[in-house]
Amino acid sequence: MAPISKSEQAYRLMRERIESGRYVPGYRLVLAPIATELDMSVVPVREAIRRLEAEGLVTFETNVGAQVALIKETEYQHTMETLALVEGSATALASPAITSDQIARARAINERMRESLSHFDPQRFTELNLEFHSVLFETCPNPHILDLVHRGWNRMRVLRNSSFSFVPGRAQESVNEHDRILQLIVDHAPTIEIEIAARDHRLGTLNAVLAQNAQHAKRLADTQAEAHPQASAA
């Protein structure tokens, strides 16, 4: 196997940190520290940053330099808010026709999700999460709403591989909320209750990610203020 180039090493490191939330939107990518960490010159790091910029993950501004793209956070929030609405509606509309076999399939998937918590893989958990919700919304009788749900999930794949890589603690809550949604369907609860439960479930993940990012940004700002007290005071 051919050795990985230095530029590729730098690219993988930064992309992984962007996707995991270690580098939050607005985080400055300073060449020298990254190059030092990887024991290489700044040239391959600069090449990697240009590649990330081409992918829309990084922006470059005069007098600011390279930073993790802010638009991604806004796009993520808007996509999740929209998905919460349309998926909640699709799940509610599908609920009266959901069969006992579908409920059994959804429960089995949710149990696999629960079992996976002990050896947590965010990407796999997200795949199972889509599989679970698909059982509930795929029989939605409104094709236009269903199309919007599919568009939302596809958009999420572009924006972020897994929300749970940012907030792994949210996974346990998510599994428990799945149980509640299933129980509402089994009990033939009013469709509005099912819709709200499904919508709040999606928004719960969004709110957890936003809160985590806000905390991370505050810690970063506090660290920078401690390191440069004069600049902070100015």
Side-chain angles (χ1 to χ4, degrees):
M1 182 179 295
I4 299 173
S5 69
K6 291 183 177 180
S7 176
E8 180 68 19
Q9 291 177 44
Y11 168 81
R12 291 185 182 183
L13 174 80
M14 288 184 285
R15 184 177 179 103
E16 186 279 327
R17 290 180 177 178
I18 290 171
E19 293 182 344
S20 69
R22 181 170 175 180
Y23 289 171
V24 298
Y27 183 89
R28 288 187 62 199
L29 298 171
V30 183
L31 295 175
I34 297 173
T36 299
E37 179 182 354
L38 293 172
D39 192 24
M40 62 179 63
S41 73
V42 298
V43 174
V45 177
R46 185 181 293 111
E47 292 174 353
I49 287 176
R50 286 173 178 164
R51 183 175 168 188
L52 290 167
E53 184 180 8
E55 294 176 352
L57 294 174
V58 169
T59 59
F60 187 89
E61 295 183 27
T62 305
N63 299 325
V64 175
Q67 59 181 6
V68 178
L70 292 170
I71 191 173
K72 287 297 179 183
E73 194 60 37
T74 302
E75 286 294 313
Y76 172 76
Q77 180 175 349
H78 291 170
T79 300
M80 283 287 278
E81 288 171 345
T82 303
L83 185 57
L85 289 172
V86 296
E87 187 179 323
S89 179
T91 302
L93 289 171
S95 62
I98 291 178
T99 66
S100 58
D101 286 344
Q102 287 172 301
I103 292 294
R105 281 172 52 206
R107 287 195 194 283
I109 295 167
N110 204 40
E111 283 308 306
R112 286 161 61 193
M113 296 177 73
R114 182 173 279 112
E115 292 167 1
S116 74
L117 295 175
S118 60
H119 45 88
F120 192 59
D121 177 351
Q123 185 62 42
R124 179 56 182 156
F125 189 87
T126 295
E127 292 171 356
L128 288 171
N129 190 44
L130 173 56
E131 189 177 343
F132 171 87
H133 285 287
S134 294
V135 174
L136 304 186
F137 65 63
E138 282 296 351
T139 53
C140 172
N142 187 317
H144 299 292
I145 292 177
L146 189 57
D147 178 62
L148 291 173
V149 175
H150 290 157
R151 287 172 182 264
W153 275 96
N154 289 336
R155 181 63 178 156
M156 284 302 303
R157 290 193 187 95
V158 174
L159 291 171
R160 188 159 296 173
N161 283 341
S162 171
S163 297
F164 296 102
S165 64
F166 288 74
V167 284
R170 167 67 185 155
Q172 179 65 67
E173 296 175 1
S174 183
V175 168
N176 293 340
E177 289 167 10
H178 287 174
D179 287 334
R180 179 170 180 269
I181 293 170
L182 286 173
Q183 194 59 51
L184 286 172
I185 295 173
V186 169
D187 292 342
H188 302 290
T191 55
I192 187 61
E193 289 187 25
I194 297 170
E195 180 172 351
I196 291 172
R199 183 196 311 159
D200 288 348
H201 168 65
R202 181 69 53 221
L203 292 177
T205 300
L206 168 63
N207 292 334
V209 171
L210 294 179
Q212 190 271 352
N213 282 350
Q215 292 173 4
H216 191 107
K218 185 179 184 302
R219 287 195 298 268
L220 180 63
D222 291 343
T223 300
Q224 292 177 338
E226 292 173 1
H228 307 285
Q230 293 181 340
S232 176

